[in-house]
Amino acid sequence: MQTTLPVKFESTPNTIIQAIHMVVQHTDQASLSLSEVMGYTSHAFRINVRPQSIETDSPYTIHGGEAMRRGFRLLGYNTQVICPPVKTITSDMLTDIIHTIRHSLDRGFPVVAWNMFAVEFGVIYGYDDSRKVLFAMDNSFDGPIPYDQLPNRRVLALCVMDQPIEIGRRERLKETVAAILDHAYSRDGLAWDQARDGLRGYDAWIDAFNGGKISNKGNALNLHLLADARRHAVAFLELMSAQWDDGTSFGTNVSRLAKQAAVHYADVLDNLGELTAMYPYPLSKRGANPRQRENVPRSIELLGRAREAEVQGIAVLNEIYGAVNK
């Protein structure tokens, strides 16, 4: 047997949402844009860094399986997350994993996976039993993975679609804003290995500049991801403002507040834009060195401005949360 599903690939360095978006295209919410998926899952509003040095693995110092489960939950779907808690995947475990993947594909849903070709998220979108291969895609490659090589990829997280969840429009708004606020105040529990998330991520970043141990590549990569996320945050809030402008008092209020929050996040993006111009990714000769003393004051100033604008945006989102809970 074989199955191959079409996947709509939209480029973004935030690969967990890129993968979730590719799966959502096969649901009744296929019309959701990448910005909407980024926003509803709260990832457009996330920041996650290693303290002191800001390394290239900072964005992935999160509990990936749980992050996927929550992301799909906020979009209205239960999922089955497979994370083998062992260093070696046995032949019996591999058989079960392949069966689960094939069953999902036969039902019409790609499978989100981690660390297939690169250390990032991607999707498995097909299989061919005659060749004993899976077909997978991430930002770095699109191609086959032989069944017996799957354990070599150390795929420790597979997210398989389950049943849809009935969730109303207002309830989705409430849960989305709650997830954004929980992350901002570092209370969602997704960060691990002493990573700094939410608003304290900015503080850790500033400390890294002050400490002079900041990684050149890590700094540039994290700025690249953060600016991309906040670009989608602005787009999501603008869409939210338009979608809730329905003539009701509640909708009008949400629309007004979402538009106000979008202005603050546009300010965040402006400051991050200047930083990404200073520290472009991929690295280039024209990029500044974050450890050079002459670059530190301006970098800290821009991060501080971005943080303050985000604080103002979060304050407005708190108002939306208060309104939806009345």
Side-chain angles (χ1 to χ4, degrees):
M1 290 183 63
Q2 70 176 59
T3 295
T4 304
L5 301 176
V7 286
K8 180 182 178 181
F9 182 89
E10 288 196 37
S11 182
T12 172
N14 289 281
T15 60
I16 186 172
I17 300 306
Q18 181 182 63
I20 290 175
H21 183 242
M22 283 193 276
V23 175
V24 168
Q25 302 308 308
H26 294 266
T27 71
D28 60 355
Q29 297 195 57
S31 63
L32 290 179
S33 67
L34 183 61
S35 292
E36 288 175 294
V37 175
M38 285 280 287
Y40 284 126
T41 61
S42 79
H43 280 265
F45 302 86
R46 300 186 70 83
I47 173 175
N48 205 81
V49 297
R50 281 190 182 274
Q52 299 180 345
S53 56
I54 317 297
E55 298 291 347
T56 55
D57 67 345
S58 287
Y60 299 118
T61 51
I62 62 172
H63 295 284
E66 180 62 13
M68 287 190 291
R69 186 193 69 78
R70 293 189 196 182
F72 277 111
R73 171 88 181 59
L74 287 163
L75 292 170
Y77 297 95
N78 283 316
T79 51
Q80 176 187 2
V81 178
I82 305 170
C83 298
V86 293
K87 292 183 179 180
T88 302
I89 298 177
T90 67
S91 58
D92 287 343
M93 290 173 62
L94 180 59
T95 298
D96 290 341
I97 290 171
I98 295 297
H99 173 75
T100 300
I101 293 171
R102 291 168 72 256
H103 181 62
S104 178
L105 294 168
D106 288 340
R107 292 172 55 230
F109 299 114
V111 175
V112 179
W114 164 259
N115 199 11
M116 293 180 298
F117 302 116
V119 186
E120 61 186 18
F121 290 94
V123 296
I124 299 170
Y125 63 86
Y127 73 90
D128 185 342
D129 282 339
S130 65
R131 296 170 55 193
K132 295 188 181 304
V133 297
L134 300 170
F135 298 107
M137 173 193 295
D138 62 19
N139 257 343
S140 66
F141 192 72
D142 178 2
I145 299 177
Y147 290 169
D148 60 3
Q149 287 188 21
L150 192 60
N152 298 336
R153 262 72 178 184
R154 296 184 62 208
V155 178
L156 299 179
L158 294 165
C159 191
V160 181
M161 290 289 284
D162 204 334
Q163 298 299 315
I165 303 167
E166 290 293 332
I167 182 171
R169 183 169 178 242
R170 184 161 174 161
E171 184 65 21
R172 171 186 273 185
L173 174 65
K174 176 182 175 180
E175 291 190 6
T176 294
V177 176
I180 295 169
L181 296 176
D182 283 347
H183 174 76
Y185 300 128
S186 303
R187 62 192 185 204
D188 65 9
L190 288 180
W192 62 274
D193 197 23
Q194 299 181 330
R196 297 292 183 266
D197 58 355
L199 293 173
R200 66 177 187 166
Y202 285 103
D203 300 329
W205 214 322
I206 290 170
D207 289 343
F209 270 106
N210 280 321
K213 297 180 180 179
I214 193 166
S215 162
N216 195 349
K217 186 175 181 180
N219 177 63
L221 174 62
N222 279 273
L223 283 170
H224 179 55
L225 267 73
L226 184 59
D228 178 79
R230 295 306 182 267
R231 176 174 63 84
H232 287 291
V234 174
F236 173 70
L237 289 166
E238 289 175 344
L239 281 168
M240 181 193 294
S241 178
Q243 291 167 355
W244 279 96
D245 190 13
D246 57 7
T248 67
S249 58
F250 174 78
T252 300
N253 189 37
V254 169
S255 175
R256 175 185 62 82
L257 290 171
K259 187 173 183 178
Q260 185 178 335
V263 172
H264 293 306
Y265 275 94
D267 193 11
V268 175
L269 185 59
D270 285 344
N271 287 285
L272 293 176
E274 186 171 338
L275 279 165
T276 57
M278 289 177 64
Y279 306 108
Y281 185 85
L283 299 181
S284 68
K285 292 182 179 179
R286 67 182 178 85
N289 187 328
R291 293 182 299 278
Q292 288 184 342
R293 185 173 300 176
E294 61 268 25
N295 297 323
V296 171
R298 182 59 177 168
S299 301
I300 290 176
E301 180 185 1
L302 290 168
L303 277 174
R305 288 182 177 180
R307 186 191 190 284
E308 179 55 34
E310 187 130 356
V311 167
Q312 294 178 42
I314 291 297
V316 178
L317 288 167
N318 268 300
E319 289 188 58
I320 295 176
Y321 189 72
V324 82
N325 277 285
K326 283 184 179 178

